[in-house]
């Protein structure tokens, strides 16, 4: 139902700027989560035959749209498990990661150089690996070497594969930690489904405000705090890739110890969005109140976006959804196609010829 209405809720012109249907990917978020959790729960159980109790911890390695689900899982379970969850957004793997860790390498395309470097380093060190990818070199080598592989559905922009990647990772981490996070995610998706239109309207309304701000030359600055860091960071990256605008991410309370001084200087042309939820302790509320007063006194516009849902997973998923809607709607209001990321593609082509993937030779043998 929302599918028919969604574009018109943004503007009468919106549909024509979205020929590849990025908005539809976003609207399908809860459906895609439910479809994928069913699939990956079973696949993970049959593929992963490790003695999880003996693992020292888990490393999730990926870049960009393939990284964000790791951060989402960190928000969801890091304070509930005694297994360290290490996030790696780099081409290198820290030295302390050894055979006692499980390495989950996530690359939608399976061809991202940084993640492939980590993957091949993992193979070299004899670390147990699970590959999450739709294909590319990572799938090719995994099949050859018998590395467990959770295959993502093809033909989706990596950042729009968020529901699938998150479901795959949740399935793996549920097994490793013994926490049934898959059920939390499923419940979150059902809750989101039941309030999809309201959440969509909130995202679209925020996009209209940001559209005015961006037209005035203001740069979106998204603040998050634990456990709502991942939707805030996701929002920043979605504003970059979908809306094609600069946007920045700040983390509280750390930002109060440095970034806050920037509001007294000349470069304060920002429009601030706080991502918040029910797990907001008094000490955090007091800090945000202070910031809100400060921003008001400086004439800086700010907005609050709240998560909804019975549990943390629901709040996180609804925040990601609203932020995704806002980023795509901002693109459409600006008359920009949200799907192509031509500069990223150009960079990848440049790197292919300039650096190449020769480091994979050993792994391919
Ligand atoms: C594009 C996107 C990018 C990619 C990133 C890594 O939609 O989201 O941020 O995710 O360039 O590529 P993959 O995901 O293929 O490893």
């Amino acid at each position: 139902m929302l599918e028919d209405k969604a574009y018109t809720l943004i503007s009468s012109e919106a549909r024509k700027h979205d020929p590849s249907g990025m908005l539809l990917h976003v609207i399908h978020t809860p459906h895609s989560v439910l479809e994928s959790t069913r699939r990956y729960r079973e696949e993970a159980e049959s593929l992963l035959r490790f003695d999880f109790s003996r693992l020292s911890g888990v490393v999730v390695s990926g870049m960009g749209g393939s990284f964000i689900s790791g951060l989402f899982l960190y928000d969801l379970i890091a304070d509930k498990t005694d297994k360290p969850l290490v996030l790696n957004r780099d081409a290198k793997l820290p030295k302390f990661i050894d055979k006692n860790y499980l390495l989950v390498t996530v690359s939608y395309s399976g061809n991202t150089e940084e993640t492939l470097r980590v993957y091949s380093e993992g193979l070299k060190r004899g670390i147990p690996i699970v590959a999450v990818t739709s294909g590319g070199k990572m799938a090719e080598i995994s099949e050859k070497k018998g590395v467990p592989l959770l295959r993502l559905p093809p033909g989706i922009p990596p950042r729009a594969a968020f529901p699938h990647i998150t479901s795959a990772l949740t399935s793996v981490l549920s097994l490793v930690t013994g926490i049934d996070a898959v059920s939390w995610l499923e419940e979150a998706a059902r809750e989101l489904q039941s309030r999809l239109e309201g959440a969509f309207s909130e995202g679209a309304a925020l996009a209209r405000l940001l559209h005015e701000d961006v037209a005035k030359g203001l740069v979106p600055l998204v603040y998050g705090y634990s456990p709502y860091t991942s939707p805030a960071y996701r929002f920043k990256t979605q504003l970059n890739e979908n809306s094609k605008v600069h946007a920045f991410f700040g983390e509280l309370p750390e930002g109060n110890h440095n970034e806050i001084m920037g509001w007294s200087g000349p470069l304060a042309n920002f429009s601030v969005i706080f991502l918040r939820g029910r797990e907001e302790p008094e000490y955090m509320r007091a800090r945000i109140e202070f910031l809100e007063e400060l921003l008001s006194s400086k004439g800086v516009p700010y907005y609050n976006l709240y998560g909804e849902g019975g549990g943390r997973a629901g709040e996180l998923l609804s925040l990601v959804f609203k932020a995704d809607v806002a980023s795509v709607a901002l693109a459409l209001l600006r008359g920009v196609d949200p799907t192509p990321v031509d500069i990223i593609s150009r960079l990848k082509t440049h790197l292919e010829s300039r650096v190449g993937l020769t480091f994979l030779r050993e792994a391919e043998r």
Side-chain angles (χ1 to χ4, degrees), residues 280-294:
E280 183 173 281
E282 201 45 39
Y283 69 78
M284 186 58 73
R285 192 159 306 140
R287 284 163 166 82
I288 297 179
E289 270 164 24
F290 182 90
L291 279 176
E292 286 178 330
E293 273 173 35
L294 181 69

Side-chain angles (χ1 to χ4, degrees), residues 9 13 17 20 61 103 111 163 188 192 231 299 310 312 324 329 352 358:
L9 282 171
E13 300 276 277
H17 299 301
S20 309
S61 198
L103 171 62
N111 287 324
L192 178 58
R312 190 187 291 178
D324 283 3
E352 243 169 67
T358 47

Side-chain angles (χ1 to χ4, degrees), residues 22 63-67 106-112 115 157-160 165 238 241 339 341 344 348:
M22 182 60 87
M63 305 298 295
S66 290
F67 166 78
V106 187
S107 169
Y108 181 81
S109 63
N111 287 324
T112 295
T115 315
R159 61 194 182 282
I165 298 176
Q238 291 286 73
E241 293 186 55
T339 299
V341 280
I344 299 178
K348 288 186 177 178

